[in-house]
Amino acid sequence: MKAADLLPYVEKVATMRHYGKVKQVIGLMIESQGPKSSIGELCYIHVHSSFKKKSMVIKAEVVGFKEEIVVLMPYTHIQDISPGSIVEATGGPLEIKVGESLIGQVVDPLGIPIDETPLPDGMETVITEQEPPNPLTRPPIHEVMEVGVRSIDAMLAVGKGQRIGIFAGSGVGKSTLLGMVARNTEADLNVIALVGERGREVREFIERDLGPEGVKRSIIVAATSDQPALMRIKGAYTATAIAEYFRDKGLNVMLMMDSVTRVAMAQREIGLAIGEPPATKGYTPSVFGILPKLLERTGTNQFGSITAFYTVLVDGDDMNEPIADTVRGILDGHIVLDRTIANRGQYPAINVLKSVSRLMNHLAEPKHLKAAEKVRQLLSTHSESEDLINIGAYKKGSSQEIDDSINAAPHMKRFFKQAFDEKIEFSTSVHQLIDLADKGEW
């Protein structure tokens, strides 16, 4: 290798290392006298475990300062940290290894396979926290992304590079819907972030919801609820960085994050720990600062696209709570899962009347749009008149619109219902929608 080829590597070599010492630990926050560092910088805390009888290195990140004191938060446990433990600054943020060999793997937020197998050679290094693309370099979205779910493809068409939210309370079918999209989508690759999930649910999602076919074309980043808040946030950043890497290779990537709410809760935990004042319903200002930066990183650029589905867990099915309201204002559409519909046994439990795709008017053909509008009208009329119909107060023939909605109701219910393992082509979904709108059945 020539000397000129070695220059980039020589420039990365640190000529000076900065160290500090742990002063105290309060909760999950570590206060250190030094080292010289900046916000977001990765540090190593050198400890000796008396229980394991060996020296170890704990990774931590600089999250704030108190005068001359550096405030750090660990990625893992803090049990072995003691006063005087050496803190070493690395001089840079967290980096992960990415490459095609990751496809089919389940990794943690540090990019390390959870099954503890070593990473293969030939991987590239990327920084987990990147800036969103320049708005003027984003090509307009003009191509449909087929997801294989009839109610979405027909009534809420999604474009390549669109970002859409799935809003629902607990137990209404968010993870199941994500699994359906991951298996059925025409995207080149799925990147799935499971943030704050129960440990039991990670394997269940992979084996039951995703299945072998879905795993073969997916990279899963898992950060369970028992892990520190910083790891949960890094799960979202790492998954986004992996999706960005493959987008820059020219692929159409499908990013799915379950859930943004738990990312916000983790950031609130960190904000409160470093002394931020609680603002809207206990959420700190930094929560509303990181959400746009995270969500705007997806979408199109001059190389490829990231189509993103973000789930939002709404407390008590309140769609106007702070996180849901903020995320809905950032994204390009929202899909609302309704508990009432789920209780009827209709899955996916999508409430079409409360859901919207902001790009559908630019993506769908005129005939498709007209049929979707007609079916929405039928749904709306039936929903408004449902109480009268159920108690027998409506007399047939009083309103042609209500009569039409009553006749179409069983066909609409059958149209929006789809088996978990059923894949429906986009063209088939549209054709069935047009038949439903024209004839009231299909």
Side-chain angles (χ1 to χ4, degrees), residues 15 143 213 284 297 319 355 379 381 394:
T15 55
E143 218 176 324
E213 289 301 314
T284 56
R297 286 171 62 180
M319 298 297 169
S355 306
L379 277 172
T381 302
Y394 174 74

Side-chain angles (χ1 to χ4, degrees), residues 337-357:
L337 301 186
D338 195 314
R339 194 176 300 278
T340 305
I341 295 174
N343 290 341
R344 295 174 188 160
Q346 179 180 317
Y347 288 97
I350 297 174
N351 188 324
V352 174
L353 295 177
K354 293 183 179 179
S355 306
V356 65
S357 169

Side-chain angles (χ1 to χ4, degrees), residues 181-183 185 187-192 210 214 217-220 252-256:
V181 172
R183 288 196 317 277
T185 180
D188 300 318
L189 174 70
N190 299 316
V191 179
I192 304 168
L210 200 54
R217 53 202 295 260
S218 302
I219 300 171
I220 299 102
N252 292 311
V253 183
M254 176 70 75
L255 172 67
M256 285 170 276

Side-chain angles (χ1 to χ4, degrees), residues 7-296:
L7 187 59
Y9 299 97
V10 173
E11 289 176 345
K12 291 181 180 180
V13 175
T15 55
M16 183 182 296
R17 294 187 179 274
H18 297 277
Y19 295 92
K21 285 187 177 182
V22 172
K23 289 194 67 175
Q24 65 176 350
V25 177
I26 303 174
L28 292 177
M29 308 308 297
I30 303 163
E31 295 187 1
S32 168
Q33 185 72 51
K36 183 181 178 182
S37 54
S38 57
I39 294 287
E41 187 169 334
L42 175 66
C43 292
Y44 297 140
I45 303 174
H46 299 270
V47 300
H48 181 79
S49 173
S50 55
F51 176 72
K52 297 179 180 178
K53 295 182 180 180
K54 66 177 183 179
S55 296
M56 298 184 300
V57 172
I58 294 174
K59 291 181 179 180
E61 185 174 301
V62 178
V63 295
F65 302 99
K66 293 180 179 178
E67 295 181 351
E68 300 298 318
I69 300 299
V70 179
V71 181
L72 304 108
M73 180 167 269
Y75 288 118
T76 53
H77 62 86
I78 60 173
Q79 282 82 355
D80 298 307
I81 297 174
S82 59
S85 293
I86 300 298
V87 181
E88 178 188 354
T90 63
L94 175 68
E95 296 180 334
I96 59 167
K97 298 285 188 180
V98 187
E100 290 186 8
S101 303
L102 275 187
I103 299 174
Q105 296 267 14
V106 184
V107 300
D108 67 10
L110 305 181
I112 301 168
I114 289 180
D115 60 6
E116 298 182 347
T117 56
L119 284 170
D121 296 330
M123 308 277 275
E124 295 183 42
T125 301
V126 298
I127 298 172
T128 58
E129 295 191 40
Q130 303 277 2
E131 289 296 317
N134 186 316
L136 296 182
T137 65
R138 291 181 182 267
I141 297 170
H142 54 79
E143 218 176 324
V144 170
M145 170 64 78
E146 182 178 331
V147 299
V149 179
R150 181 165 49 214
S151 49
I152 296 177
D153 283 340
M155 300 295 294
L156 305 161
V158 176
K160 290 181 180 177
Q162 186 171 350
R163 302 157 306 142
I164 199 158
I166 299 174
F167 294 74
S170 57
V172 188
K174 296 185 303 298
S175 298
T176 304
L177 180 58
L178 285 184
M180 289 177 69
V181 172
R183 288 196 317 277
N184 298 341
T185 180
E186 63 170 350
D188 300 318
L189 174 70
N190 299 316
V191 179
I192 304 168
L194 303 177
V195 180
E197 288 287 337
R198 304 173 188 90
R200 169 186 63 80
E201 291 182 335
V202 173
R203 185 167 181 176
E204 282 185 5
F205 176 83
I206 293 168
E207 294 182 356
R208 185 186 63 195
D209 295 336
L210 200 54
E213 289 301 314
V215 170
K216 278 195 280 188
R217 53 202 295 260
S218 302
I219 300 171
I220 299 102
V221 181
T224 52
S225 58
D226 60 292
Q227 293 181 297
L230 191 60
M231 280 288 268
R232 282 175 266 146
I233 291 175
K234 289 300 172 187
Y237 284 130
T238 296
T240 306
I242 292 171
E244 289 171 328
Y245 170 84
F246 287 101
R247 175 180 64 184
D248 292 344
K249 297 289 185 183
L251 299 185
N252 292 311
V253 183
M254 176 70 75
L255 172 67
M256 285 170 276
M257 190 176 295
D258 186 13
S259 70
V260 174
T261 306
R262 295 192 179 108
V263 176
M265 291 170 71
Q267 180 60 37
R268 176 177 64 181
E269 192 176 320
I270 293 174
L272 291 173
I274 64 176
E276 271 193 88
T280 310
K281 289 196 176 180
Y283 287 100
T284 56
S286 62
V287 173
F288 303 100
I290 70 161
L291 285 176
K293 290 182 180 179
L294 174 64
L295 303 181
E296 285 288 349

Side-chain angles (χ1 to χ4, degrees), residues 215-426:
V215 170
K216 278 195 280 188
R217 53 202 295 260
S218 302
I219 300 171
I220 299 102
V221 181
T224 52
S225 58
D226 60 292
Q227 293 181 297
L230 191 60
M231 280 288 268
R232 282 175 266 146
I233 291 175
K234 289 300 172 187
Y237 284 130
T238 296
T240 306
I242 292 171
E244 289 171 328
Y245 170 84
F246 287 101
R247 175 180 64 184
D248 292 344
K249 297 289 185 183
L251 299 185
N252 292 311
V253 183
M254 176 70 75
L255 172 67
M256 285 170 276
M257 190 176 295
D258 186 13
S259 70
V260 174
T261 306
R262 295 192 179 108
V263 176
M265 291 170 71
Q267 180 60 37
R268 176 177 64 181
E269 192 176 320
I270 293 174
L272 291 173
I274 64 176
E276 271 193 88
T280 310
K281 289 196 176 180
Y283 287 100
T284 56
S286 62
V287 173
F288 303 100
I290 70 161
L291 285 176
K293 290 182 180 179
L294 174 64
L295 303 181
E296 285 288 349
R297 286 171 62 180
T298 54
T300 58
N301 71 359
Q302 61 268 44
F303 305 110
S305 70
I306 301 174
T307 307
F309 280 80
Y310 298 99
T311 69
V312 181
L313 183 64
V314 289
D315 294 332
D317 295 329
D318 178 14
M319 298 297 169
N320 295 315
E321 59 95 25
I323 300 304
D325 205 38
T326 301
V327 171
R328 189 165 52 240
I330 298 169
L331 299 180
D332 307 317
H334 53 272
I335 296 171
V336 176
L337 301 186
D338 195 314
R339 194 176 300 278
T340 305
I341 295 174
N343 290 341
R344 295 174 188 160
Q346 179 180 317
Y347 288 97
I350 297 174
N351 188 324
V352 174
L353 295 177
K354 293 183 179 179
S355 306
V356 65
S357 169
R358 295 181 181 174
L359 294 177
M360 183 167 175
N361 288 340
H362 305 287
L363 297 170
E365 298 291 334
K367 196 173 182 180
H368 180 183
L369 286 173
K370 187 177 179 181
E373 184 181 351
K374 175 70 181 297
V375 172
R376 273 185 182 273
Q377 288 175 349
L378 290 168
L379 277 172
S380 179
T381 302
H382 193 269
S383 177
E384 291 170 1
S385 312
E386 194 167 15
D387 290 339
L388 289 174
I389 296 166
N390 290 340
I391 65 174
Y394 174 74
K395 287 187 178 181
K396 190 174 182 181
S398 301
S399 168
Q400 185 61 47
E401 288 183 1
I402 297 177
D403 288 346
D404 290 344
S405 72
I406 293 172
N407 293 333
H411 304 293
M412 289 192 293
K413 184 176 180 180
R414 187 157 56 96
F415 177 83
F416 290 118
K417 193 171 184 178
Q418 183 172 337
F420 169 71
D421 56 355
E422 183 182 9
K423 178 181 179 180
I424 302 172
E425 300 292 334
F426 181 87

